[in-house]
Amino acid sequence: MKIRIKGNSVRFRLTKSEVEALCRIGEFREETRFRTNIFSYAVVRSSRPGMQAEFTKDGVTLYVNEDRLLGWETNEKVGFEEIVNTGDGSSLHLLLEKDFVCLDRREEDQSDNYPNPKLEKEDMV
């Protein structure tokens, strides 16, 4: 799972096996270990409407309504987006997406990523 945070925007990207685990088990969690602390991050199926995020002293959890996740592991839906009012006059932009193979052919292992539709179109030309 990858997380990208910029300003009031948080974007979660999941590989095929991570999406499958989320849809089957109802959650997917990871952690990053620092010298004295652990940062945890998770996507969790929920009965709450839409998507919501919670930040604690040691991590962030994205809650996604269970209806959105029905069949997501097998359908063509790329992801989900929600803009949440934070109650202080600002908003938090949440994105949950399937992770596609990068167009720039990075060195990282992308074998569990979804095929990139743009790459497939380029290969056909």
Side-chain angles (χ1 to χ4, degrees), residues 1 10-12 14 27-28 45-46 68 94 113 124:
M1 177 170 24
V10 184
R11 178 174 167 184
F12 292 76
L14 278 64
E27 67 179 55
F28 187 80
R45 180 174 55 214
S46 172
R68 290 187 177 187
L94 302 172
N113 290 23
M124 292 179 177

Side-chain angles (χ1 to χ4, degrees), residues 17-41:
S17 60
E18 294 165 349
V19 168
E20 289 168 4
L22 173 62
C23 292
R24 186 179 70 253
I25 300 166
E27 67 179 55
F28 187 80
R29 297 180 177 278
E30 283 197 342
E31 59 185 32
T32 301
R33 294 180 176 273
F34 294 89
R35 176 169 279 188
T36 58
N37 296 75
I38 297 174
F39 176 72
S40 63
Y41 42 105

